[in-house]
Amino acid sequence: MARPYTERAPPITSSRLATVTLDPKMCPLCGKSNQCAMEAELGIEACWCTSTPIEPTALQAVPESSQDKACLCPACAVRAHPPWVDGPAKANLSGR
């Protein structure tokens, strides 16, 4: 029998992510290379982000401690992200 969602691993929270060391070459959401041309000193015109639409919920999912310090990777940037439990994009569970 499948376990209900509430028995799964706890959701990622900003306090849990705060313990991770920030690397400006790594995506703050998944930890993989963000492929940032600016970090590679190639210039903004060479970066994938200048020609890729960024999913708004991806930006909202970036922990405050990582904002303006590390770029998203291409995969996380185009994928919708659920709201954080205690992060910047809190869910409106009331539906109002």
Side-chain angles (χ1 to χ4, degrees), residues 28-77:
L29 298 182
C30 71
K32 295 179 182 176
S33 171
N34 58 22
Q35 303 173 31
C36 180
M38 297 291 289
E39 282 299 318
E41 299 181 8
L42 298 174
I44 189 69
E45 60 280 345
C47 202
W48 64 266
C49 69
T50 60
S51 61
T52 303
I54 309 297
E55 169 63 40
T57 60
L59 294 175
Q60 293 170 346
V62 175
E64 190 173 327
S65 61
S66 298
Q67 292 176 5
D68 298 321
K69 296 177 183 148
C71 296
L72 298 171
C73 71
C76 286

Side-chain angles (χ1 to χ4, degrees), residues 6-43:
T6 55
E7 292 182 21
R8 293 184 184 166
I12 295 174
T13 63
S14 58
S15 58
R16 281 180 54 202
L17 283 175
T19 62
V20 177
T21 303
L22 180 68
D23 181 343
K25 294 182 180 179
M26 300 298 179
C27 175
L29 298 182
C30 71
K32 295 179 182 176
S33 171
N34 58 22
Q35 303 173 31
C36 180
M38 297 291 289
E39 282 299 318
E41 299 181 8
L42 298 174

